[in-house]
Amino acid sequence: MADNLAYSLKQLSYSTILKGNIELSKSVSGKEFTVDVLSNVIVNPIKEILEYYIRSLSLKPVIRFGNYDNIVQDTFVLAQGNMDMVIVFYELINLSENFHLSAELLADAEVSDHIEKCKRDIDLIFANLSVKPLVVFNTFSSYPFTGSNSAKRNLDLMERELNHYIHQNKPANTQLVDVGRILNAIGADGAYDRRKFQKYKSPYKIDFFKFYVSAIENILLKRTGKLKKALIFDCDNTLWKGVIGEDGPQGIDMSSKTEAGMNYYFVQKIAASLSQKGVLICLCSKNNPEEVEDLLGKHPDMILNSEHIVAMKINWQPKDENLKMLAEELNIGLDSFIFVDDSDFEVNLIKTSLPEVLTVAVPTDISEYPGMIMEIAQRYFNLEPLNEDTKKIKIYTEQAKRSEAMRQIGDIDSYLTTLETKVIISHNDASQISRIAQLTQKTNQFNLTTKRYSETEIEGFMKNPAFHVFAIDVSDKFGDSGITGVAILKQSDNAKVMEIDSYLLSCRILGRKIETFFLNYIISFFSRAQYKTIKSTYIKTNKNIQVKDFYVTHQFTEEQLNEGQSGYVLDMENYHETKIDFITLIEP
């Protein structure tokens, strides 16, 4: 589906979106992703645009609308239901009949009354939805109705006070969308249809909804576990102007002081900044490797250096093969890649042979290039990293050392013994909520159910006595991998039975028998608590095929088999623990 995401929705015509939505509905049969939309105006035209985008993520969209102008009451109902996301359109223009026309006629006391009523409504909305996985709440905007003069306006006053209030009081599960920016980008005439609002209470034009879904794209990718991990650059005419093999180090241009070079300079600055936020910056280019390596950290205008770049494939091999090798080396999926190249041939090659890679071309107008890379970063990467994310270059460097040690030793068991692996296993540790939620949203390969959870949901599990949340922190002689595994279990209806809701490990620690050690610990934990049985589930995805036999190889018995889903049961009294002497458990 990568090609469906290559262009921003803002660039697509409505007819293209409608046609694409119909075509995708015939082929996409993934998990359901449910979005509830609450509003005090009519926003139903957003449905097809949201559906198209969600289907582009290989998910099956379920879009449900609340009752018109019934937001607060609907949140009471939603508090009891399940969904993946709630979007709230609470608009100033429709606080009461013809409010957009009468607001400027109100006395100061009446304006204050409206502000206080809105605050009470907001408090109820936030409170009722505070346990939901994700809430998207729009900032208030008076832009289309207040004109361009500098006179004091009641709607402007309400906008400022209420926006300050929601910023100060929003719960942890709530993301704010700056509607003012969207309106400024489109313009009032491009966003609003005053006649339709007057007649049908439907104020927004299609362009507004295209821009709106684009604005929440990063939120959707994060919630669905579809954020990208690696940004991979070609070199010639991609990181600098010119061809290093022909022009030499003095002939290429990436200087901040030249008209052409400054664009490449800023692209490198953006890439270097992204590397500090945990984005894996890589190179994949047809060049002589020594010529490129001599530039890193040595050319006076070269921003990127070995501290920023995680991996390189600089050779004359086909780029699709090199990208496959990078994916294997980094142990992440090709659908985690974004590849940037100036050559139409190379761009089309990757699009054809590796469609899961999101491939973008350097723009013909090079002045647009830095802005394009910045937009890519904002759309596809997590720019609010946790502490673990900022250590990625160090972690992948350490992983390279492990791989080299493995090659030298040869025998896997001997190699694992030399690692001196230590683990800390925590239970319901609230300080780890953010990292645990992030792992559920990112981990795909070793993930038995691929359930995605927000911080609010993880916090709810920890507070619920029926749930148990375990996390494993792994280190060895090469370095600290951090919290890289999660297990979530819940009490079954049978008091002697626990059910594994989620079991997942980061790809960076696979192949070291940590998954078995972690499971041994969990089984022992609940055996001591007098439980007799553990039930588990494997839900098949395109990425987790490697773990389909995990439970069977760990003495679980297959209990049931549905399409794409298998159930397992373990009698703990008959469980024989696999002894692993080369991993040491450190008490937290």
Side-chain angles (χ1 to χ4, degrees):
M1 292 296 172
D3 201 46
N4 290 312
L5 302 178
Y7 298 98
S8 169
L9 287 168
K10 295 180 287 187
Q11 299 172 277
L12 301 179
S13 68
Y14 188 47
S15 60
T16 299
I17 292 172
L18 292 178
K19 182 179 178 181
N21 191 34
I22 292 170
E23 290 302 313
L24 287 173
S25 69
K26 298 174 183 176
S27 58
V28 173
S29 57
K31 288 195 226 177
E32 287 189 351
F33 187 83
T34 302
V35 181
D36 285 331
V37 182
L38 309 182
S39 65
N40 65 340
V41 293
I42 300 299
V43 292
N44 293 66
I46 200 175
K47 181 175 184 290
E48 286 77 16
I49 301 172
L50 262 178
E51 285 181 338
Y52 170 76
Y53 186 78
I54 293 169
R55 287 191 171 112
S56 295
L57 302 177
S58 299
L59 298 169
K60 181 179 178 182
V62 178
I63 313 299
R64 306 183 300 201
F65 290 88
N67 296 312
Y68 165 72
D69 200 13
N70 202 46
I71 296 175
V72 174
Q73 292 85 344
D74 280 342
T75 62
F76 282 104
V77 177
L78 286 182
Q80 312 304 318
N82 294 316
M83 74 291 298
D84 295 286
M85 179 178 180
V86 182
I87 300 176
V88 181
F89 284 86
Y90 188 10
E91 304 291 340
L92 285 178
I93 58 175
N94 204 37
L95 293 181
S96 62
E97 188 67 25
N98 292 320
F99 186 77
H100 64 297
L101 299 175
S102 61
E104 302 311 323
L105 306 177
L106 299 175
D108 290 349
E110 293 174 301
V111 173
S112 295
D113 287 344
H114 276 290
I115 291 174
E116 291 308 311
K117 179 189 180 302
C118 286
K119 289 180 178 179
R120 290 193 296 271
D121 286 350
I122 291 166
D123 288 341
L124 286 170
I125 293 168
F126 284 169
N128 291 339
L129 298 180
S130 63
V131 296
K132 296 295 121 180
L134 174 62
V135 177
V136 174
F137 194 97
N138 300 333
T139 59
F140 294 92
S141 178
S142 60
Y143 171 67
F145 296 96
T146 55
S148 58
N149 63 54
S150 59
K152 175 188 173 184
R153 299 279 182 162
N154 289 335
L155 279 173
D156 289 337
L157 173 65
M158 296 181 70
E159 172 191 319
R160 286 194 299 271
E161 285 209 24
L162 291 173
N163 282 342
H164 178 75
Y165 190 79
I166 59 176
H167 275 94
Q168 294 296 313
N169 293 279
K170 72 178 184 69
N173 70 328
T174 300
Q175 296 282 321
L176 300 180
V177 174
D178 190 341
V179 171
R181 287 189 180 183
I182 299 174
L183 297 175
N184 287 333
I186 308 172
D189 291 339
Y192 271 92
D193 189 323
R194 295 170 182 268
R195 183 188 63 82
K196 285 183 68 176
F197 174 63
Q198 193 70 28
K199 192 170 184 180
Y200 304 114
K201 300 302 179 186
S202 179
Y204 294 120
K205 293 182 178 179
I206 290 299
D207 274 355
F208 172 84
F209 292 117
K210 287 162 51 180
F211 274 64
Y212 182 86
V213 177
S214 293
I216 65 171
E217 185 174 7
N218 188 264
I219 298 172
L220 283 163
L221 289 170
K222 185 175 183 180
R223 175 61 184 163
T224 56
K226 303 285 186 176
L227 287 172
K228 305 297 183 180
K229 297 178 181 178
L231 181 57
I232 303 160
F233 289 96
D234 173 46
C235 290
D236 293 328
N237 291 309
T238 303
L239 288 180
W240 52 74
K241 179 178 174 57
V243 178
I244 184 65
E246 298 175 2
D247 303 317
Q250 304 307 316
I252 61 174
D253 190 0
M254 47 189 160
S255 170
S256 62
K257 297 180 176 62
T258 67
E259 183 177 352
M262 67 180 298
N263 296 297
Y264 297 96
Y265 168 84
F266 279 111
V267 166
Q268 288 198 35
K269 288 279 284 186
I270 294 167
S273 176
L274 292 174
S275 76
Q276 303 305 311
K277 294 180 179 292
V279 176
L280 306 179
I281 303 298
C282 306
L283 303 183
C284 178
S285 182
K286 289 181 177 178
N287 289 94
N288 293 324
E290 61 275 7
E291 291 181 322
V292 173
E293 290 168 6
D294 283 345
L295 292 176
L296 299 178
K298 299 176 184 177
H299 192 288
D301 297 325
M302 187 80 185
I303 300 297
L304 290 175
N305 57 48
S306 56
E307 293 181 1
H308 305 120
I309 297 169
V310 171
M312 296 188 292
K313 293 299 173 188
I314 310 296
N315 53 46
W316 297 97
Q317 301 303 312
K319 290 187 179 179
D320 54 346
E321 294 301 319
N322 276 331
L323 288 177
K324 290 178 186 177
M325 292 177 66
L326 276 174
E328 183 177 348
E329 185 176 315
L330 297 172
N331 201 14
I332 59 178
L334 284 163
D335 61 350
S336 296
F337 282 7
I338 297 179
F339 178 57
V340 184
D341 201 307
D342 70 298
S343 165
D344 290 339
F345 170 80
E346 301 291 2
V347 167
N348 289 323
L349 169 69
I350 303 306
K351 283 185 176 181
T352 302
S353 75
L354 301 176
E356 58 268 61
V357 174
L358 179 56
T359 309
V360 293
V362 175
T364 304
D365 183 350
I366 202 65
S367 66
E368 298 175 356
Y369 189 23
M372 183 192 80
I373 296 298
M374 183 59 75
E375 181 179 355
I376 285 172
Q378 292 170 339
R379 287 174 67 188
Y380 294 111
F381 294 110
N382 176 24
L383 300 185
E384 297 178 354
L386 301 176
N387 186 49
E388 286 86 350
D389 298 315
T390 62
K391 301 176 182 177
K392 278 187 177 178
I393 293 179
K394 181 174 182 288
I395 288 171
Y396 279 95
T397 301
E398 292 164 355
Q399 182 58 35
K401 293 178 181 176
R402 293 186 187 97
S403 299
E404 179 60 26
M406 174 59 191
R407 282 192 292 270
Q408 292 179 1
I409 295 173
D411 176 65
I412 183 65
D413 288 332
S414 299
Y415 162 69
L416 293 176
T417 301
T418 67
L419 282 180
E420 302 171 16
T421 302
K422 299 178 178 62
V423 302
I424 300 172
I425 299 177
S426 59
H427 177 223
N428 289 344
D429 185 343
S431 70
Q432 300 172 345
I433 287 174
S434 295
R435 175 59 177 166
I436 291 170
Q438 184 188 60
L439 281 170
T440 71
Q441 294 162 4
K442 293 172 60 176
T443 307
N444 295 302
Q445 295 178 40
F446 196 105
N447 191 334
L448 277 298
T449 56
T450 58
K451 295 180 180 179
R452 313 297 185 184
Y453 290 123
S454 66
E455 292 181 25
T456 300
E457 289 171 301
I458 298 298
E459 182 180 15
F461 293 154
M462 288 188 180
K463 291 179 178 178
N464 186 336
F467 280 81
H468 299 264
V469 181
F470 297 90
I472 186 167
D473 187 308
V474 179
S475 62
D476 61 26
K477 69 178 183 180
F478 291 109
D480 187 353
S481 297
I483 298 171
T484 43
V486 173
I488 301 172
L489 291 91
K490 61 182 178 181
Q491 173 72 58
S492 173
D493 293 337
N494 185 326
K496 296 295 183 181
V497 178
M498 290 299 299
E499 298 179 359
I500 299 177
D501 172 89
S502 296
Y503 192 80
L504 57 100
L505 276 80
S506 170
C507 57
R508 73 177 70 145
I509 60 168
L510 297 185
R512 295 159 61 181
K513 300 191 179 180
I514 293 167
E515 60 272 20
T516 298
F517 189 93
F518 194 20
L519 185 64
N520 283 344
Y521 179 93
I522 290 166
I523 292 170
S524 176
F525 180 95
F526 288 106
S527 179
R528 293 194 305 270
Q530 305 302 311
Y531 286 89
K532 302 298 183 184
T533 304
I534 291 183
K535 290 188 174 182
S536 56
T537 304
Y538 165 68
I539 299 175
K540 179 183 176 182
T541 70
N542 291 332
K543 290 188 174 183
N544 71 356
I545 301 298
Q546 63 171 298
V547 296
K548 67 183 180 65
D549 296 324
F550 176 75
Y551 287 123
V552 171
T553 58
H554 287 80
Q555 304 171 44
F556 285 70
T557 301
E558 191 166 345
E559 189 178 47
Q560 62 189 40
L561 182 63
N562 300 321
E563 185 177 355
Q565 182 168 321
S566 303
Y568 301 89
V569 61
L570 174 70
D571 180 354
M572 287 193 284
E573 290 184 348
N574 295 322
Y575 180 72
H576 301 289
E577 181 176 303
T578 303
K579 194 167 183 59
I580 303 175
D581 294 327
F582 51 79
I583 298 178
T584 302
L585 176 65
I586 306 297
E587 294 300 328

